Structures are given as C-alpha cells and as structure tokens.
Amino acid sequence: MKTDNTIFLMGRIGEKANKFLVKELAKIGLSGLAPSHGDVIANLFKYKEITMSQLSDAIYRDPSTVTALVSKLKRMGYVRTRKDSADTRVTYVSLTDEGKALEPHFQRISLELYQLEYQGVTQEEKETLHTLLSKINTNF
C-alpha cells in the first residue's frame, strides 16, 4: 500500500497557523483567547446573534465544546447569552461591546494569516489547492 504525508502536512499547517494566531492575539493583549474562541467570535461578527445550536454547526464543534467556549468568552466579557422567551431550551449568543471592539484586530490578523498562507502561491494554485482540499474534506 502506498502512503504519503499529506495528512501530516495538513496537521502541521493547522498547528503552525494556530501558533501564529495565538502569538498575534497575545501581541494585542488577548493571551487568554485560543483559535477556537476566534471561531466563535468570527461567527458572531457575521451573524450578530445566533443560537448555541447554530453556532455549533457553524464551527463544526459538538454542543458541549461550544458551551465551554462560550462560557469562557462570557467570563472574559466578550459575549452575552440569553434564553429564548418562547422556548427556554434555546440559548442565543451575541457579542458585547467589548467583543465587537475586537473586530478590527481580528480582520488584521486574518489578513496577515491569509498573506502568509499564500505567499508565493499563484491564483491558479490557490484555486487548485482549495478544490483538492474540499474533495479530501468531503471524503471524510
């Protein structure tokens, strides 16, 4: 059976990207945030308010993980939660003003990550890479 190190490389790229993000967050005084917290915050920039279930689907994490992530962000003052008045089983999550203030920092860090990721890569190569990774993702 022939094997290669593609999965290993994808994992290493993910680890290096996460290290970059942690370092950049620390530079702006956000050393308590992990990249997984950034997934939550970025989705709240996009959706403004979202249910915990929708957030779980959006960031591809199980509900218990999302609960832990949101709880920490809530303790840090970046998000708030509220129960649905018609169905108290449903919890909505939204950003506080302090959380909203993170958006320009997140945009800058995301742009720097994107530029680093694609340094020396042509547009055609980007498109091919995206197509191939999407296929591999679908295979799993």
Side-chain angles (χ1 to χ4, degrees):
M1 180 167 95
K2 187 173 181 172
T3 61
D4 66 26
N5 68 343
T6 305
I7 299 297
F8 169 80
L9 288 172
M10 289 188 289
R12 290 293 299 141
I13 291 166
E15 289 172 15
K16 289 177 180 183
N18 283 341
K19 283 182 182 180
F20 172 85
L21 293 170
V22 167
K23 184 180 87 176
E24 292 301 310
L25 290 169
K27 282 183 186 177
I28 58 172
L30 299 174
S31 57
L33 289 180
S36 53
H37 293 114
D39 291 340
V40 171
I41 292 170
N43 273 276
L44 293 174
F45 292 148
K46 182 177 179 179
Y47 296 110
K48 308 302 180 211
E49 184 175 64
I50 190 171
T51 68
M52 294 283 276
S53 176
Q54 291 167 327
L55 184 57
S56 177
D57 291 343
I59 67 171
Y60 304 100
R61 303 277 184 172
D62 65 80
S64 62
T65 300
V66 172
T67 298
L69 292 169
V70 168
S71 292
K72 181 168 183 182
L73 290 170
K74 192 173 176 181
R75 284 191 306 276
M76 295 175 84
Y78 297 123
V79 303
R80 69 174 66 86
T81 59
R82 73 171 179 85
K83 293 287 185 184
D84 186 300
S85 58
D87 184 352
T88 57
R89 296 173 296 175
V90 177
T91 301
Y92 288 92
V93 186
S94 61
L95 292 168
T96 62
D97 288 339
E98 191 173 349
K100 291 174 186 174
L102 298 174
E103 190 165 13
H105 300 293
F106 274 58
Q107 288 176 344
R108 179 190 57 78
I109 292 169
S110 293
L111 178 60
E112 289 176 15
L113 179 66
Y114 179 82
Q115 289 170 337
L116 180 61
E117 173 185 9
Y118 286 114
Q119 185 176 336
V121 178
T122 68
Q123 183 62 35
E124 183 179 343
E125 290 170 328
K126 286 181 205 177
E127 291 168 9
T128 300
L129 177 63
H130 188 272
T131 299
L132 293 172
L133 290 174
S134 294
K135 285 181 180 182
I136 292 169
N137 185 55
T138 300
N139 289 345
F140 283 100

